[in-house]
Amino acid sequence: MRHRVTLIPGDGIGPEVAEAARAVVDATGVEVEWDVQEAGAASLEREGTPLPERVLDSVRRSRTALKGPITTPVGSGFRSVNVALRQELDLFAAVRPARHFPGLPSRHPGVDLVTIRENTEDLYRGIEFERGAPETDRLRAALLDLAGYRVPDDAGVTVKPISITGTRRVVRYALEYAQRNGRRFVTVGHKANIMKFSDGVFLATALEVAEEYPEVDVREMQVDEMAMWLAWEPETLDVVLLPNLYGDIVSDLSAGLVGGLGVAPGANLGWEYAVFEPVHGSAPDIAGRGVANPVAIILSAAMMLRHLAEDAAAERVEAAVAELLRDGGTLTPDMGGTARTLDVAGAIARLAT
């Protein structure tokens, strides 16, 4: 069966690692028609937006995308392409596995965690009020009137919406994921003891939905305690389900347990569309040097192959990555080797053929 897939190379090291992932997918023999769509800094310069409508249209046609990292400058008004994609396509669930591969240094060998993160609400919803803006003055006056709280004149404000509707669907996804993949249990992370009307909604809704899945072991844990267990005994956790911001942080922490962001894949999923991408950023400091680690996006491509019901090909790619890392002879500098990006891709492609 031939699959149409939108390929968004991104910027920084994105084009290099995207080329590597494409080579590996093509080597599996799965027939993919790639629709390459530029987004990010180059599109901003040429088209006035980092996320042109043509990119969204392509993903809506193909329903599946593989995406390289895209730079979001810190503190600028530049809208994150990653966040925009998730919101425009309603990709409400982020799935980020953290699996240790023999051969990679780790204080916790054998870790096999999955972070499932609500992807469209919380502080990342982008409801922000800039310090000194007229809208912020009006918000400050309203909060003083409604809650008796005086926001400092020099404060910026970000609003944290968490809804029952948004939470229900990601909880159902997480519990069904656990069932499909034979996971042991799901731990709901939160800070509902402090944020009773946002995190409180997330926790209460998760526990309510869990009653519909009596065969799944569902637990709850405050996110600061979860961070402690991840640093101390991460094997005591299995699938963790979190609101947006916590999920972003915890998934990066989990990647650090198994060898770093260079081996951390990810997927952003909705009822209609799916976008697969590595967890790491665009690393502009090494862009163009051919030394970027392509393993994370290659593992993301394996997740994409499973999504396309190409399970045998996905298993070959994952087994090839495991063999490459175990052997240790063809690794990029971040993993202690001297190989170049396409050398790693070529070695994985040969093993996955």
Side-chain angles (χ1 to χ4, degrees):
M1 179 179 177
R2 190 173 183 82
H3 306 281
R4 183 184 179 92
V5 174
T6 299
L7 179 65
I8 307 170
D11 52 38
I13 62 170
E16 300 163 63
V17 297
E19 180 184 356
R22 178 175 178 171
V24 171
V25 172
D26 289 344
T28 66
V30 174
E31 292 187 45
V32 174
E33 177 187 345
W34 299 98
D35 182 12
V36 181
Q37 294 287 333
E38 185 180 79
S43 296
L44 178 64
E45 183 177 337
R46 294 174 189 167
E47 302 175 58
T49 173
L51 184 61
E53 193 63 30
R54 58 172 170 77
V55 180
L56 295 168
D57 289 342
S58 174
V59 180
R60 290 182 182 117
R61 287 192 302 269
S62 65
R63 308 177 77 82
T64 304
L66 180 64
K67 174 186 160 296
I70 293 177
T71 304
T72 301
V74 176
S76 72
F78 182 103
R79 188 184 186 197
S80 165
V81 171
N82 301 324
V83 172
L85 267 173
R86 294 163 194 163
Q87 292 178 354
E88 293 289 339
L89 300 173
D90 200 23
L91 305 174
F92 62 83
V95 180
R96 294 183 170 183
R99 170 189 169 194
H100 177 253
F101 290 93
L104 289 179
S106 172
R107 294 184 178 87
H108 301 284
V111 165
D112 183 8
L113 291 166
V114 178
T115 300
I116 297 180
R117 160 191 172 195
E118 199 290 319
N119 223 10
T120 62
E121 297 192 315
D122 196 4
L123 292 169
Y124 283 13
R125 187 64 185 87
I127 307 171
E128 295 204 277
F129 295 83
E130 186 178 4
R131 175 180 57 84
E135 296 83 2
T136 311
D137 290 338
R138 291 163 57 194
L139 176 67
R140 187 164 52 248
L143 287 173
L144 183 61
D145 179 52
L146 292 170
Y149 179 76
R150 186 178 299 278
V151 177
D153 293 348
D154 57 355
V157 178
T158 302
V159 179
K160 179 186 171 98
I162 293 181
S163 69
I164 293 173
T165 304
T167 302
R168 274 182 180 154
R169 60 185 184 174
V170 75
V171 173
R172 287 199 171 96
Y173 178 85
L175 301 186
E176 289 169 11
Y177 177 95
Q179 286 181 312
R180 287 195 310 271
N181 292 278
R183 307 299 300 205
R184 294 172 294 148
F185 58 93
V186 176
T187 304
V188 180
H190 64 90
K191 200 63 181 167
N193 58 321
I194 303 298
M195 287 169 281
K196 303 179 188 302
F197 305 127
S198 52
D199 283 30
V201 167
F202 191 84
L203 176 60
T205 304
L207 296 178
E208 178 184 322
V209 172
E211 294 178 2
E212 303 172 22
Y213 297 81
E215 64 279 15
V216 181
D217 182 1
V218 177
R219 309 172 185 182
E220 57 93 4
M221 183 180 292
Q222 293 179 28
V223 71
D224 45 351
E225 181 185 356
M226 180 178 288
M228 185 273 293
W229 284 109
L230 285 168
W232 186 21
E233 293 183 350
E235 62 275 8
T236 60
L237 295 166
D238 187 17
V239 175
V240 294
L241 170 63
L242 294 149
N244 205 336
L245 175 62
Y246 307 150
D248 193 12
I249 296 167
V250 165
S251 61
D252 278 18
L253 190 161
S254 299
L257 299 172
V258 299
L261 293 175
V263 294
N268 299 287
L269 308 168
W271 298 133
E272 298 290 332
Y273 311 109
V275 176
F276 299 84
E277 62 181 343
V279 174
H280 63 69
S282 59
D285 56 319
I286 60 168
R289 292 167 50 189
V291 296
N293 184 353
V295 169
I297 195 171
I298 290 170
L299 289 172
S300 301
M303 295 177 72
M304 180 190 77
L305 289 169
R306 288 191 189 282
H307 175 75
L308 296 172
E310 298 286 356
D311 290 3
E315 289 169 9
R316 292 202 307 275
V317 171
E318 291 167 350
V321 169
E323 184 174 342
L324 178 109
L325 296 176
R326 184 170 56 248
D327 176 69
T330 310
L331 302 177
T332 46
D334 64 302
M335 295 190 291
T338 59
R340 298 178 67 79
T341 304
L342 292 182
D343 294 334
V344 174
I348 293 172
R350 287 190 293 275
L351 292 167
T353 301

